[in-house]
């Protein structure tokens, strides 16, 4: 009776703890939060002023004593205390506190495949300290594959390229495990930096990261488009110091992104070269799945297909793919326990 009541009241949570965005899945409800992984801190009082959307709106607009920052860098925790507060904020928004006897939620968190044991321990500890009863970890490419409903527990091979904000994860999956895994710190944030550098070198224009991201979303591409796209790039003229607007098109932005995109494609090709021949035949049949926000870059699937000669497709709603994967694991955690990351640090239930 009590176990059934607890299962109804307890909202087990799946979290895609990303460098750019944190997406929260609640068991039985689906995705309920999708907000930037940004925290605004008052340096004078050491107190957190805002988290998520509200904090991102403060980027570049705060007085000197308030700093909006990301507590995760390249997919791993760089500021433990701030990450803990951010997780506590997101968990508290979805977890019921009406009954003192109600158990804390179980949490499944997506992490990059290349993290160290110490970094895994940091994520587990931050989640438990933030209010989780138990923290399970799952590698993001595996979660993305599950979220896209790939048959990860079958003996056949599946290939996933998860292009996030801080890292690009390339993985070949078979029998519920990752056979080949490569992590590259060239992803969405790096593409934004590319556009900032290009504006400075090509137009003598200093633009902010938010403007660069807006331009990337509006007209960014990895492959020539059939229709020309244009957007206004606004910033400060480096010569006069005055505001200036430049109209750029998709060809300009494609040129700005070319070096990083090429590195990303070479990373995928390197993973293919290391894949056992038996799995290569499966991948040629099933294709390469693209997930993460970077998968929305126009033509990236066409470019990878052209360079690898393997069919490539973008997952449905690629941004939420990892979070949906954590949710599927939550729904049937016993049968999918093998896909979770083994922990050397047992987190004690509270």
């Amino acid at each position: 009776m009590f176990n059934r009541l607890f299962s109804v009241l307890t909202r087990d949570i799946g979290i895609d703890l990303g460098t750019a965005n944190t997406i929260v899945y609640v068991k039985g409800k689906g995705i309920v939060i999708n907000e930037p992984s940004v925290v605004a801190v008052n340096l004078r009082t050491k107190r957190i002023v805002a988290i998520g959307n509200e904090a991102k709106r403060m980027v570049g607009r705060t007085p000197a004593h308030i700093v909006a920052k990301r507590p995760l860098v390249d997919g791993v925790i760089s500021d433990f205390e701030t990450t803990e507060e951010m997780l506590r904020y997101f968990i508290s928004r979805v977890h019921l506190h009406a009954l003192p006897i109600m158990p804390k939620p179980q949490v499944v968190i997506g992490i990059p495949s290349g993290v160290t044991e110490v970094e895994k321990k940091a994520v587990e500890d931050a989640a438990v300290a933030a209010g989780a009863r138990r923290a399970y970890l799952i590698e993001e490419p595996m979660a993305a594959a599950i979220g896209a409903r790939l048959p990860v527990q079958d003996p056949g091979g599946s290939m996933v390229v998860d292009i996030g904000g801080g890292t690009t994860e390339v993985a070949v999956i078979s029998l519920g495990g990752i056979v080949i895994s490569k992590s590259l710190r060239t992803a969405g944030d790096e593409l934004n930096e590319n556009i900032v550098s290009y504006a400075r070198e090509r137009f003598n224009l200093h633009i902010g990261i938010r403007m660069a991201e807006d331009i990337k979303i509006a007209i960014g591409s990895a492959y020539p488009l059939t229709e020309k796209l244009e957007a206004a790039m606004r910033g400060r003229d480096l010569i006069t110091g005055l505001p200036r607007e430049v109209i750029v098109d998709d060809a300009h932005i494609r040129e700005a992104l070319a070096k990083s995109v090429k590195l990303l494609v070479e990373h995928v090709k390197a993973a293919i070269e290391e894949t056992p021949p038996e799995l290569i035949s499966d991948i040629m049949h099933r294709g390469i799945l693209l997930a993460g926000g970077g998968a929305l870059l126009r033509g990236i699937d066409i470019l990878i297909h052209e360079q690898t000669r393997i069919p490539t497709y973008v997952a449905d709603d690629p941004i939420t793919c990892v979070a949906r994967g954590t949710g599927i694991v939550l729904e049937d955690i016993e049968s999918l326990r093998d896909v979770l990351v083994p922990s050397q640090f047992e987190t004690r239930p509270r």
Side-chain angles (χ1 to χ4, degrees), residues 138 141-150 152 321 324-325 328-329 336 339:
I138 183 171
M142 177 66 77
I146 294 172
R149 300 289 182 175
L150 294 183
V152 297
C321 215
R324 284 185 282 119
I328 292 170
V329 172
L336 290 172
V339 306

Side-chain angles (χ1 to χ4, degrees), residues 256-310:
L257 304 179
K259 185 176 180 180
S260 291
V261 169
K262 181 180 179 182
L263 184 61
L264 192 153
V265 174
E266 291 297 326
H267 203 63
V268 175
K269 291 167 70 175
I272 293 172
E273 290 173 3
E274 295 181 21
T275 302
E278 293 81 1
L279 297 180
I280 284 290
S281 62
D282 297 328
I283 294 169
M284 291 180 69
H285 174 68
R286 293 179 177 175
I288 298 172
L289 173 76
L290 302 185
L296 295 174
L297 184 66
R298 297 169 184 83
I300 186 68
D301 54 333
I302 300 173
L303 182 63
I304 292 176
H305 170 56
E306 189 177 87
Q307 293 291 315
T308 63
R309 300 180 183 178
I310 296 176

Side-chain angles (χ1 to χ4, degrees), residues 70 165 187-201 206-210 212-213 216 256-257 260:
R70 289 178 173 177
D189 290 347
E190 183 75 15
L191 299 181
N192 296 339
E193 293 286 354
N194 291 160
I195 295 173
V196 171
S197 299
Y198 183 82
R200 184 187 304 113
E201 295 166 7
H206 179 60
I207 66 172
I209 288 294
R210 288 194 64 182
E213 185 175 24
K216 179 186 70 177
L257 304 179
S260 291

Side-chain angles (χ1 to χ4, degrees), residues 109-225:
I109 303 178
I111 58 170
S113 56
V115 300
T116 65
E117 294 299 330
V118 173
E119 290 165 343
K120 292 175 188 176
K121 175 70 161 52
V123 176
E124 288 181 328
D125 286 350
V128 172
R133 179 170 89 253
R134 174 73 188 269
Y136 298 97
L137 305 182
I138 183 171
E139 290 169 309
E140 288 173 354
M142 177 66 77
I146 294 172
R149 300 289 182 175
L150 294 183
V152 297
Q153 292 179 306
D154 288 359
S158 299
M159 189 169 198
V160 177
V161 180
D162 179 22
I163 310 171
T167 59
T168 294
E169 306 284 327
V170 183
V172 176
I173 298 168
S174 180
L175 289 171
I178 294 180
V179 180
I180 299 293
S181 175
K182 286 186 173 294
S183 182
L184 177 69
R185 294 188 175 182
T186 296
D189 290 347
E190 183 75 15
L191 299 181
N192 296 339
E193 293 286 354
N194 291 160
I195 295 173
V196 171
S197 299
Y198 183 82
R200 184 187 304 113
E201 295 166 7
R202 177 71 181 268
F203 301 110
N204 287 319
L205 189 69
H206 179 60
I207 66 172
I209 288 294
R210 288 194 64 182
M211 171 57 67
E213 185 175 24
D214 291 342
I215 291 288
K216 179 186 70 177
I217 293 170
I219 64 173
S221 64
Y223 196 84
L225 305 178

Side-chain angles (χ1 to χ4, degrees), residues 90-106:
F90 288 129
I91 290 173
S92 67
R93 281 182 55 182
V94 299
H95 186 53
L96 292 173
H97 294 287
L99 297 176
I101 60 171
M102 191 186 67
K104 296 177 180 180
Q106 293 187 112

